Amino acid sequence: MSAIENVRVRFAPSPTGYLHIGGVRTAIFNCLFARRHGGEFLLRIEDTDVERSTQEAVDQIIDSLRWIGLDWDREPVFQSKRLEIYQEHLERLLKEGQAYRCYCPAEELEAKRQKAIAAKVTYKYDRTCRKRDPDEDPAGRPFVVRFKTPEIYPDHYNDLIMGSIPIDEEKLDDWILARTDKTPTYNFSVVVDDATMEISHVIRGNDHKDNTPKQILLYQALEYPVPSFAHMPLTHGPDGSKLSKRREQEYRKLGISVSVQEYRKMGYLPHALLNYLARLGWSHGDQEIFTRSELEQKFDLDAVGKSAGILDPSKLKWVNAHYIKETGDSEIAELLVPYLAELGIEAAADPPGHLQNIVSTLKPRAETLVEMAEKAVFYFKAPDSYDPKSRKKWWKPGAEVVLEKIRGMAESLDFNDESTVETAFRKLADEAAGGKLGKVAQPIRLALTGTTVSPSLFEVISILGSEEVIRRLDRALAELSGNPA
C-alpha cells in the first residue's frame, strides 16, 4: 500500500475495567498505521457510562499503553467533557428532521420485543413515533431521540481488511441516539467524536462491523466525510475460542491473560509483547522479530489477515526469550529486582555488578523474568533440601570424597576466577573419575544449588565465591554424614 496523506486514527477504550489484550492489539495496529503514513494516533477515553467508568481504570489504560511503548499525539480526549457537543449535534438532527423524539413506554417496547422473539423474527422498532407530528409531542413525558433511518441506503460498504461487507436491512431500524437522561448512545457519540476529531481511518475489531452501516448513514445525515473503515479479526485463545474472563486462571497457567497488565506481572518484556501482538494477524514475509522502527516502516493494512489472531503461549514465550537474550545484562538486572522482591530477595542492595553477573548466566535459558527470578533464588539462598532423585543418583557412597576435595580447593584457589575453577575441576575429574567431568560436577552442583539443573557450574562457583561455596559444601557434607546442621 502506497503512502496515504492526512492519516489520523484513534484508539477509544472504555474505562470500565482492565485493558483487554485484544484492545491493546487494536491500539498497536492503529499506532503503527499512523506512523507508517506519517499521520497522527489519538487516544479517546469513552467514559460516558458514569456508573461503570472509574479513574482507576483510566489510569490503568494509560499506564498499560505507556508500558507497552505506545505514544499518542495530543492530549487524550474524554467523552465526558464533550456532552455539549453531542447535544448540539442532537438538536441539529432534530431541527433538520433527521431525528425524532420517541415517547413509547419501555414496557410497551419490551412487550413488542418479546412478541417478535416468540414469532422468531428480528425485532425492529415499528416507527410509531416517527409518524407523529413534532408539534403534537406530549409535554412532560420522558423520551429518547431516535435516528430517522433513510428509506434508501447502500447495499454494502467497503472495508480495508474484510473487503465488501453487505448491509443487512434486518439490522437497521430507527436506532436510539440519546437516552431519556440525554446521554448519547455509543453509535451516536462515536460518530460525532470521529467526525469532529477528523479521524480518517477507523481501525477496530470486527465485532463492530454491524455498527458501521448505522454510523455511515449518520455521517451522511450530518454531512461529514465518511472515514475509511478497517475491521480487524478478533484475538482468540489458544483453542480458537473467544477470550473469556471466566477462563483467566486457565489462561495464566499457559502463560497468557485477558488483561494487558498481567503480562507485566508474568515477566514479559514490553517490546516483546508489542512485537508479538503486531505480528498476530499481520505478516511481512517470514520475518518474526521486528525492531520498533521496522514495524513503523513495514506495517500496513493490506497484509492483515481475515482470520482471528490465535494467542500461542509457546510463540509468545519464544519471542520474549529472544528479547531477554538481546537486552543488556544491566537492563535485565534492573527489571529483575521487583520479581526477586516478590520472592523475598532484596537484590537491589547487592554489590554493584553482582546481579548483572547472575543475569548473564540465566539469560540463555529464561523465557520470562518470573522464570529467571525463580531460577536465581539459589544464588541468594543456600538450599535447605536436595532434590531426592538427584540425590539418589549422584550422592552415592564416595560422593563425600569429591565434596571434601572441592572444599579443600576452595580454601586455596581463587574461586572468583571461572577459568581457574574449570581447570581445577578437570584435573580432579581426571584423578577421581576417569576424566568424566559429570561425575565430579553433578555431586557438587547438587550441593551448591539443591538440584542438578543450573547454569554452568564454573559460573555458579565464580559468582558464589569461595566463602559461600565452603559454607554450602559443609552443609552438604553434614547431610551426607547423617548429621545435617
Side-chain angles (χ1 to χ4, degrees), residues 33-101:
F33 181 77
R35 301 293 174 251
R36 162 72 173 80
H37 295 287
E40 290 185 300
F41 169 57
L42 306 185
L43 175 62
R44 183 172 72 233
I45 306 296
E46 300 192 337
D47 59 346
T48 54
D49 188 341
V50 178
E51 292 184 0
R52 297 179 61 212
S53 298
T54 66
Q55 185 59 45
E56 180 183 3
V58 172
D59 294 342
Q60 177 265 136
I61 288 170
I62 291 176
D63 179 61
S64 295
L65 291 175
R66 284 178 172 160
W67 172 73
I68 204 170
L70 296 185
D71 49 337
W72 51 91
D73 305 295
R74 309 190 186 194
E75 290 296 314
V77 172
F78 290 83
Q79 282 190 335
S80 59
K81 298 179 181 179
R82 296 169 58 83
L83 298 180
E84 289 186 7
I85 298 175
Y86 305 136
Q87 190 60 34
E88 290 171 2
H89 283 77
L90 198 63
E91 293 298 331
R92 174 182 159 190
L93 290 169
L94 286 167
K95 183 179 179 180
E96 294 174 354
Q98 300 193 85
Y100 59 93
R101 296 178 178 86

Side-chain angles (χ1 to χ4, degrees), residues 154-262:
D155 62 358
H156 74 283
Y157 68 90
N158 293 316
D159 187 278
L160 296 177
I161 294 175
M162 307 304 292
S164 177
I165 298 180
I167 294 177
D168 186 354
E169 181 181 358
E170 289 301 308
K171 294 181 180 178
L172 281 180
D173 66 354
D174 288 3
W175 51 280
I176 296 174
L177 299 171
R179 305 175 184 88
T180 55
D181 62 359
K182 297 185 179 181
T183 57
T185 59
Y186 168 77
N187 279 314
F188 177 52
S189 61
V190 75
V191 168
V192 173
D193 286 335
D194 286 343
T196 56
M197 292 170 67
E198 298 182 345
I199 299 302
S200 65
H201 294 73
V202 175
I203 305 171
R204 58 190 180 187
N206 65 11
D207 52 336
H208 284 286
K209 67 180 184 295
D210 287 340
N211 290 324
T212 304
K214 296 179 180 180
Q215 294 172 11
I216 289 174
L217 296 179
L218 185 53
Y219 276 107
Q220 294 172 344
L222 291 167
E223 297 183 340
Y224 282 125
V226 179
S228 298
F229 289 93
H231 290 95
M232 301 164 43
L234 300 182
T235 305
H236 285 187
D239 61 358
S241 64
K242 289 184 179 180
L243 291 172
S244 169
K245 295 179 183 179
R246 291 174 294 183
R247 299 178 62 183
E248 179 66 11
Q249 293 305 313
E250 176 187 340
Y251 294 149
R252 290 194 194 178
K253 291 178 182 178
L254 297 174
I256 59 173
S257 173
V258 179
S259 166
V260 175
Q261 287 196 323
E262 288 302 318

Side-chain angles (χ1 to χ4, degrees), residues 165-421:
I165 298 180
I167 294 177
D168 186 354
E169 181 181 358
E170 289 301 308
K171 294 181 180 178
L172 281 180
D173 66 354
D174 288 3
W175 51 280
I176 296 174
L177 299 171
R179 305 175 184 88
T180 55
D181 62 359
K182 297 185 179 181
T183 57
T185 59
Y186 168 77
N187 279 314
F188 177 52
S189 61
V190 75
V191 168
V192 173
D193 286 335
D194 286 343
T196 56
M197 292 170 67
E198 298 182 345
I199 299 302
S200 65
H201 294 73
V202 175
I203 305 171
R204 58 190 180 187
N206 65 11
D207 52 336
H208 284 286
K209 67 180 184 295
D210 287 340
N211 290 324
T212 304
K214 296 179 180 180
Q215 294 172 11
I216 289 174
L217 296 179
L218 185 53
Y219 276 107
Q220 294 172 344
L222 291 167
E223 297 183 340
Y224 282 125
V226 179
S228 298
F229 289 93
H231 290 95
M232 301 164 43
L234 300 182
T235 305
H236 285 187
D239 61 358
S241 64
K242 289 184 179 180
L243 291 172
S244 169
K245 295 179 183 179
R246 291 174 294 183
R247 299 178 62 183
E248 179 66 11
Q249 293 305 313
E250 176 187 340
Y251 294 149
R252 290 194 194 178
K253 291 178 182 178
L254 297 174
I256 59 173
S257 173
V258 179
S259 166
V260 175
Q261 287 196 323
E262 288 302 318
Y263 287 85
R264 176 164 25 180
K265 295 178 183 177
M266 290 188 290
Y268 290 97
L269 300 182
H271 38 293
L273 185 60
L274 174 68
N275 187 145
Y276 177 78
L277 291 176
R279 184 66 178 74
L280 191 62
W282 169 79
S283 62
H284 184 79
D286 295 328
Q287 187 173 347
E288 296 288 352
I289 301 299
F290 296 82
T291 65
R292 178 61 180 270
S293 178
E294 285 178 320
L295 286 173
E296 293 178 354
Q297 292 171 10
K298 297 178 178 180
F299 180 86
D300 229 325
L301 296 175
D302 55 2
V304 175
K306 297 182 180 181
S307 301
I310 307 297
L311 283 175
D312 181 343
S314 298
K315 184 68 167 293
L316 173 58
K317 289 177 181 177
W318 177 82
V319 173
N320 200 57
H322 168 85
Y323 279 102
I324 286 176
K325 293 183 183 73
E326 294 298 310
T327 304
D329 292 350
S330 60
E331 184 177 344
I332 294 295
E334 184 177 349
L335 293 172
L336 194 63
V337 169
Y339 297 94
L340 289 169
E342 286 288 322
L343 300 174
I345 298 170
E346 298 301 325
D350 276 9
H354 183 238
L355 186 53
Q356 291 183 39
N357 292 336
I358 291 172
V359 163
S360 70
T361 70
L362 299 172
K363 280 173 60 175
R365 301 170 186 85
E367 292 184 318
T368 69
L369 294 179
V370 167
E371 180 188 355
M372 182 181 286
E374 291 170 347
K375 289 182 175 180
V377 169
F378 79 85
Y379 280 115
F380 301 92
K381 296 179 179 180
D384 53 14
S385 63
Y386 305 92
D387 177 62
K389 290 184 179 179
S390 299
R391 179 171 177 157
K392 183 178 180 180
K393 181 176 181 180
W394 295 107
W395 279 2
K396 296 176 180 178
E400 65 273 10
V401 175
V402 174
L403 299 186
E404 287 170 351
K405 284 183 177 291
I406 296 299
R407 189 195 185 288
M409 291 165 52
E411 294 179 339
S412 58
L413 288 177
D414 180 8
F415 269 22
N416 293 314
D417 185 343
E418 187 180 326
S419 62
T420 298
V421 172

